[in-house]
Amino acid sequence: MRHSVSIDGNYAIVGAKEEDTTADDNRGAAYIFERGTNGTWTQVPTILKASNADDNDQFGYSVSISGSYAIVGAPFEDTSGANSGSAYVFKRDTNGSWNQVPT
């Protein structure tokens, strides 16, 4: 289920907070789309997921994109305490791939 969307120029990001890696785990994911010269939007091959994804994190609850950067929120991620949440930054490289920026 789509939950959040952000567009900047020729790129859009769509958050899917309830995307399941395994049955009903709600880890979440985000999808990047690029607008081509003919105006058609195409999903890029990279699906964004948290490097430390866990059940019910809801990665993709909030998203934003600006230029070569995208940020994705996971409000129920637990690294800093139960349901403390995290934000993940991704950067588009020169080959067009989106990679999580280390923190």
Side-chain angles (χ1 to χ4, degrees), residues 50-69:
S51 58
N52 63 340
D54 202 0
D55 292 357
N56 299 310
D57 282 351
Q58 294 192 6
F59 177 90
Y61 186 91
S62 55
V63 296
S64 187
I65 193 165
S66 180
S68 296
Y69 289 91

Side-chain angles (χ1 to χ4, degrees), residues 7-41:
I7 298 173
D8 181 53
N10 291 325
Y11 289 94
I13 185 170
V14 178
K17 69 182 180 104
E18 295 175 355
E19 178 69 20
D20 298 325
T21 302
T22 60
D24 298 323
D25 65 13
N26 295 327
R27 290 179 182 217
Y31 302 88
I32 302 283
F33 293 83
E34 183 176 6
R35 182 174 38 210
T37 56
N38 64 356
T40 302
W41 290 91

Side-chain angles (χ1 to χ4, degrees), residues 16 20 25 30 35 54 62 66 71 80 92 94 96 98-99 101 103:
D20 298 325
D25 65 13
R35 182 174 38 210
D54 202 0
S62 55
S66 180
I71 189 166
S80 296
R92 186 180 71 239
T94 56
W98 291 82
N99 302 294
V101 175
T103 55

Side-chain angles (χ1 to χ4, degrees), residues 13 28-32 44-50 59 70-72 90-91 97-100:
I13 185 170
Y31 302 88
I32 302 283
V44 303
T46 305
I47 297 173
L48 306 184
K49 295 187 176 184
F59 177 90
I71 189 166
V72 181
F90 294 83
K91 185 176 189 308
S97 295
W98 291 82
N99 302 294
Q100 187 173 330

